[in-house]
Amino acid sequence: VGYQRTKGYDFQVDYVLDGADVGLPGRFRINELFTYVDSLDYDGTEYAGTGVAYIGGGIFDRKSVLSLSYDISDFTFFTRWTYIPELEDIGFGPNYNDGSPVYTPDANYLDFSARYNVSDNLQVTAFIGNVFDNLPVPSASGAYYGQGNIDGQTQRVFGRTFNVSLK
């Protein structure tokens, strides 16, 4: 019989500022979602802060998503910053040369969108994902587990992306 024990914390902060309160038009919104995993124990083995490039293999010890929005009239401007720290890549074990741990790289992504409410029944949204075009970095277990030499759950595979939608 196996077991799993998890200990951690999720923090979320939401703040809305009416622009009129500071002499500006519109409304400002801030949202921070932060996760901290102190421990993730499977049958006596600690996995928090480790990763393997297969589906569900990234067990973050912390992760942050910060969102900022500005609403004015029929427009909404939105930006989101996502941070994922480096993880100990346990797919191959320690470095064979000196026994030191091997790590997947950390990931920082900035996304931006703008939305226009054309009418009560139509919205136009333009989105740019990964604004700075951070390309994925190869990892050892990414090659081993058939993920194209990268960890697709912590890295954005396609670099910068664009999208326009009507709703």
Side-chain angles (χ1 to χ4, degrees), residues 23-82:
L24 297 171
R27 176 179 68 164
F28 299 88
R29 293 177 286 148
I30 299 172
N31 172 273
E32 166 62 23
L33 177 58
F34 181 80
T35 297
Y36 173 75
V37 179
D38 185 49
S39 175
L40 180 57
D41 179 349
Y42 283 110
D43 296 330
T45 302
E46 181 59 48
Y47 285 98
T50 65
V52 177
Y54 54 67
I55 296 172
I59 303 173
F60 313 108
D61 53 354
R62 63 194 185 284
K63 182 178 179 181
S64 174
V65 179
L66 175 65
S67 301
L68 306 170
S69 298
Y70 177 57
D71 305 309
I72 183 167
S73 185
D74 289 328
F75 292 91
T76 297
F77 300 94
F78 173 82
T79 189
R80 174 181 52 221
W81 171 55
T82 303

Side-chain angles (χ1 to χ4, degrees), residues 101-167:
V102 176
Y103 291 94
T104 62
D106 65 345
N108 285 281
Y109 296 105
L110 186 69
D111 303 324
F112 178 77
S113 70
R115 176 178 297 146
Y116 175 62
N117 294 321
V118 177
S119 69
D120 289 342
N121 298 317
L122 179 63
Q123 293 179 339
V124 178
T125 303
F127 172 81
I128 303 172
N130 190 4
V131 171
F132 296 113
D133 198 22
N134 295 332
L135 296 175
V137 178
S139 69
S141 65
Y144 185 69
Y145 293 103
Q147 301 293 324
N149 292 341
I150 64 156
D151 187 346
Q153 62 190 337
T154 62
Q155 309 249 335
R156 301 232 182 132
V157 177
F158 297 112
R160 183 181 303 126
T161 58
F162 300 90
N163 181 10
V164 176
S165 63
L166 299 173
K167 178 179 172 186

